[in-house]
Amino acid sequence: MDIYLSAAISEAKKGLDEGGIPIGSVIVHDGKIIGRGHNKRIQNGSVILHGEMDALENAGRQSASVYKNCTLYTTLSPCSMCSGAILLYGIPKVVIGENISFLGAEELLRNKGVELIVVNDKTCIEMMQEFISNNPALWNEDIGK
């Protein structure tokens, strides 16, 4: 398995261990992880800290030239909010752990020229499906249902 997707999965598991939703993300620039994060909506009472948003926040201020040379790894297909941030910062490539449990705004990203690689990793799928099965109310809240 890709080391960066493994790092995103580790972030997702950290979120789950904290009582949160198991979605993790890392941002990679020139082979180095510059930001990592996981969904903290429950832990922080936040409306915006999805895994991708937390990774961006933890990457700190970066110049546009950095973002334009990054790959974002996420364990789950990015929602509209996270996809908007990917587009806003010009991140050109996203590796998606899985899009079976949730299909985010992939069409929007593709239409805007972002390269998407969907892995459909067994660990990512099983982790999300188990969480959704055990926590339907939290999951529906997180995706705005």
Side-chain angles (χ1 to χ4, degrees), residues 19-37:
I21 298 165
I23 303 168
S25 183
V26 297
I27 301 168
V28 178
H29 179 260
D30 287 340
K32 180 181 176 214
I33 295 174
I34 63 168
R36 58 178 66 232

Side-chain angles (χ1 to χ4, degrees), residues 76-97:
L76 187 66
S77 184
C79 72
S80 298
M81 176 180 65
C82 296
S83 294
I86 290 164
L87 294 174
L88 177 66
Y89 293 107
I91 296 171
K93 183 176 178 182
V94 178
V95 177
I96 298 167

Side-chain angles (χ1 to χ4, degrees), residues 34-117:
I34 63 168
R36 58 178 66 232
H38 53 276
N39 188 301
K40 291 182 180 166
R41 290 188 71 252
I42 295 167
Q43 301 91 309
N44 290 16
S46 171
V47 298
I48 61 167
L49 281 182
H50 285 189
E52 299 90 337
M53 301 300 276
D54 191 40
L56 282 164
E57 179 71 14
N58 291 328
R61 290 178 60 193
Q62 301 291 333
S63 70
S65 63
V66 170
Y67 288 122
K68 290 186 184 328
N69 290 296
C70 284
T71 299
L72 184 143
Y73 290 76
T74 181
T75 58
L76 187 66
S77 184
C79 72
S80 298
M81 176 180 65
C82 296
S83 294
I86 290 164
L87 294 174
L88 177 66
Y89 293 107
I91 296 171
K93 183 176 178 182
V94 178
V95 177
I96 298 167
E98 71 114 332
N99 66 1
I100 293 170
S101 302
F102 175 76
L103 180 60
E106 292 180 22
E107 185 176 342
L108 170 66
L109 291 170
R110 277 192 193 93
N111 287 342
K112 295 290 187 176
V114 176
E115 178 186 357
L116 300 182
I117 298 172

Side-chain angles (χ1 to χ4, degrees), residues 9-22:
I9 291 169
S10 292
E11 284 293 321
K13 289 178 179 177
K14 187 184 298 183
L16 186 61
D17 290 345
E18 294 170 356
I21 298 165

